[in-house]
Amino acid sequence: MTYIYGKWRQEVHLEPPHGWLNDPNGLSFFGGYYHVYFQYSPDNANGDGRKCWGHYRSKDLIDWEFTGTVLFPDTPDDKDGVYSGSAVEHDGILHIFYTGNVKEEGDHDYITSGRGANVISVTTADGVTMSEKQTLLRNSDYPDFCSCHVRDPKVWREGNKWRMVLGARTLDDTGCVLFYSSDDMISWKYDGSDCIEDFGYMWECPDVFDVGGHRYLSVSPQGLRHGETKFQNVYQSGYFLLKDGKTPSADMFVEWDMGFDFYAPQTFLDEKGRRILVGWAGLPDVEAEYQNPTVALGWQHVLTTPRELSVKNGRVVQTPVEEVAALRKKEIPVECGKETEISGGCFDLELTVFSDAPMRITLEKECVIGYQNGIFTLEFQPGADTDIGCGRKTRRARIEHLLEVRILSDESLLEIYVNGGETVFTTRYYPDGDNRSIRVEADGTGKI
Ligand code: FRU
């Protein structure tokens, strides 16, 4: 197959060279490089075929090198997929932990039987060449209340122990996390679990991290009931503040992103002490609702900009890492009420608003980003014979006062940071032309 690069291919965000990408994995700063591994199906833009780990590395979070596919499903314990996981450095070696997915032959529902979910470890001295695989935990090692769905190990150092959190589905369809600890990263002891009744049937891709003096648990739950201004996508991802070792409750859950395309984020600490989050700017199982036309060109999906986390007013705030600002070339003032044409698909728009008066930013005539009466809206309004949202319609968030909007646009991706990143919307969009038209109507001032 030939790949048609150019149209819709991002300038600065990470995409697979061809095939399919989903979750970010093994995020780390190690050996002088930032490492971004990712769920990768090189054979197929729809995600079928072998599920591997692809690998990008960078010295500065701007120029990235694709080093290829570094983990293949090539052993009996991961024969049906090298699923998601994490990485930690110890004594100059990167230790990687992932889920080896196994589907047994036979008559199975693959929930209560027929599926193996193994925690497997490999090590690497250069981030690219992997050691032999070692299986550390199997389904028989997980608590009896678990179904076969247990996966996505996140490992971190705490005191003099290694700790691991896994996402799981119980036999009575409750999403939960399992905690383990270890002295040597090889033998792991079960320390307990956390779950919330009636808060999804499965929690994927957990993460435990500290920022701003607080500890948080991030999960990607499946099976939450949809609302007008929350849980609008097929699956969600968000975090709980784990104050004073409290167990999480449903009302503490804050969604990471309110846009159409965001799932399975992970965080890591870099050498500057920054807690950085990267998400998958996509979702599983959305094809019925909306599409990504790059499938016909041979690839699908992209990762978000690395976002630095901090805490403001009890919320985790996400800000594009400062390195991104170095990509700016020239500055164009925003003239409210006038159409501005940008050459190319990449821009960084910053708008400061002075009041809670209605605000509206229209991109390419069809994408309307608006604020009115305490509701922030991202909406696609298809033309007579165009639909740059490819089926995406409306996403909303409650925002008491609008102060700032920043839009990072790539060729077919928008990240909208509201009020300094207190709320974020990520979406794909597929304009036809090379340039972008922007019209801002606001009581405010801005620049592109
Ligand atoms: C989340 C997820 C993970 C799993 C991986 C498989 O998108 O379902 O739970 O490890 O994708 O690709």
Side-chain angles (χ1 to χ4, degrees):
M1 158 149 204
T2 45
Y3 304 103
I4 309 164
Y5 285 176
K7 200 173 187 185
W8 299 325
R9 188 90 192 152
Q10 316 294 357
E11 302 258 335
V12 294
H13 289 79
L14 295 181
E15 289 176 311
H18 52 80
W20 155 285
L21 163 154
N22 55 298
D23 316 352
N25 293 149
L27 302 176
S28 47
F29 183 85
F30 164 70
Y33 285 98
Y34 289 93
H35 297 272
V36 172
Y37 301 89
F38 60 91
Q39 287 287 283
Y40 184 31
S41 301
D43 306 326
N44 188 297
N46 279 315
D48 300 332
R50 298 170 300 167
K51 186 62 71 88
C52 309
W53 276 30
H55 177 232
Y56 274 103
R57 69 179 176 195
S58 167
K59 293 206 158 167
D60 56 9
L61 290 173
I62 297 293
D63 286 321
W64 293 90
E65 177 197 358
F66 178 69
T67 74
T69 306
V70 294
L71 285 169
F72 292 89
D74 54 7
T75 69
D77 282 353
D78 64 8
K79 71 181 181 64
D80 298 296
V82 179
Y83 275 13
S84 283
S86 60
V88 279
E89 194 211 319
H90 183 52
D91 288 346
I93 299 286
L94 194 67
H95 294 249
I96 289 177
F97 301 85
Y98 69 89
T99 297
N101 182 48
V102 176
K103 281 181 110 174
E104 286 153 25
E105 301 258 316
D107 185 19
H108 295 292
D109 65 359
Y110 296 101
I111 300 169
T112 60
S113 75
R115 183 186 292 274
N118 304 306
V119 174
I120 298 175
S121 156
V122 292
T123 58
T124 171
D126 62 2
V128 179
T129 316
M130 301 292 166
S131 71
E132 250 184 58
K133 298 174 178 177
Q134 184 177 7
T135 300
L136 307 176
L137 295 169
R138 301 175 183 279
N139 291 62
S140 54
D141 297 313
Y142 308 134
D144 290 345
F145 59 77
C146 289
S147 71
C148 307
H149 284 271
V150 178
R151 58 177 166 267
D152 309 336
K154 167 79 188 217
V155 172
W156 73 100
R157 181 81 180 164
E158 196 172 328
N160 53 3
K161 291 249 179 229
W162 297 100
R163 301 207 175 259
M164 180 194 293
V165 59
L166 285 162
R169 173 178 184 158
T170 67
L171 285 169
D172 65 1
D173 295 332
T174 300
C176 79
V177 283
L178 310 176
F179 296 102
Y180 287 80
S181 59
S182 170
D183 291 324
D184 57 6
M185 290 197 269
I186 293 169
S187 63
W188 291 86
K189 175 177 145 291
Y190 175 63
D191 290 331
S193 70
D194 257 342
C195 73
I196 299 174
E197 279 305 310
D198 200 21
F199 199 71
Y201 58 82
M202 170 74 194
W203 288 1
E204 297 190 305
C205 300
D207 192 357
V208 171
F209 63 90
D210 295 322
V211 66
H214 300 291
R215 170 152 292 197
Y216 297 88
L217 169 68
S218 170
V219 289
S220 293
Q222 301 188 320
L224 301 185
R225 268 183 300 278
H226 303 298
E228 272 281 293
T229 54
K230 62 177 193 178
F231 310 158
Q232 296 157 91
N233 288 337
V234 55
Y235 306 131
Q236 327 305 329
S237 56
Y239 59 87
F240 303 98
L241 170 65
L242 297 182
K243 219 177 178 170
D244 312 321
K246 247 197 225 152
T247 46
S249 60
D251 59 341
M252 287 163 61
F253 187 73
V254 184
E255 286 180 80
W256 281 117
D257 195 291
M258 306 304 288
F260 295 93
D261 297 276
F262 188 88
Y263 194 62
Q266 283 289 300
T267 73
F268 72 106
L269 206 58
D270 81 348
E271 93 290 10
K272 297 178 180 151
R274 296 181 294 183
R275 176 62 59 180
I276 296 174
L277 174 141
V278 177
W280 171 24
L283 273 164
D285 305 331
V286 289
E287 293 81 4
E289 251 191 282
Y290 42 86
Q291 299 82 38
N292 297 308
T294 60
V295 173
L297 307 178
W299 77 88
Q300 187 174 198
H301 292 311
V302 57
L303 298 177
T304 67
T305 298
R307 302 172 180 177
E308 183 176 352
L309 303 184
S310 57
V311 177
K312 206 170 98 192
N313 306 328
R315 262 177 99 95
V316 180
V317 169
Q318 304 169 62
T319 323
V321 290
E322 62 181 7
E323 285 85 340
V324 170
L327 295 166
R328 293 169 178 165
K329 291 204 177 101
K330 63 174 181 196
E331 188 174 310
I332 309 168
V334 164
E335 280 189 59
C336 286
K338 249 187 83 182
E339 190 114 336
T340 306
E341 174 111 345
I342 308 282
S343 71
C346 272
F347 64 83
D348 185 349
L349 180 154
E350 286 180 317
L351 182 71
T352 306
V353 299
F354 303 139
S355 70
D356 287 335
M359 184 280 310
R360 198 178 158 94
I361 301 170
T362 312
L363 276 174
E364 290 291 288
K365 307 220 158 31
E366 291 181 36
C367 174
V368 180
I369 296 158
Y371 179 74
Q372 195 164 7
N373 300 331
I375 303 284
F376 195 97
T377 309
L378 164 64
E379 190 174 357
F380 287 96
Q381 301 176 345
D385 38 36
T386 52
D387 178 10
I388 66 170
C390 294
R392 291 162 182 80
K393 298 209 161 55
T394 312
R395 291 292 180 265
R396 299 184 185 88
R398 273 181 203 288
I399 285 172
E400 208 176 330
H401 298 293
L402 183 65
L403 305 169
E404 284 162 14
V405 183
R406 179 172 177 192
I407 304 178
L408 279 189
S409 167
D410 207 327
E411 296 296 328
S412 58
L413 176 71
L414 297 172
E415 293 176 81
I416 304 160
Y417 296 84
V418 186
N419 291 349
E422 277 184 31
T423 305
V424 187
F425 291 73
T426 300
T427 187
R428 301 304 301 274
Y429 80 139
Y430 298 96
D432 219 20
D434 291 338
N435 299 336
R436 300 288 179 265
S437 74
I438 308 172
R439 185 189 176 90
V440 178
E441 286 143 295
D443 175 20
T445 175
K447 53 188 187 216
I448 305 168

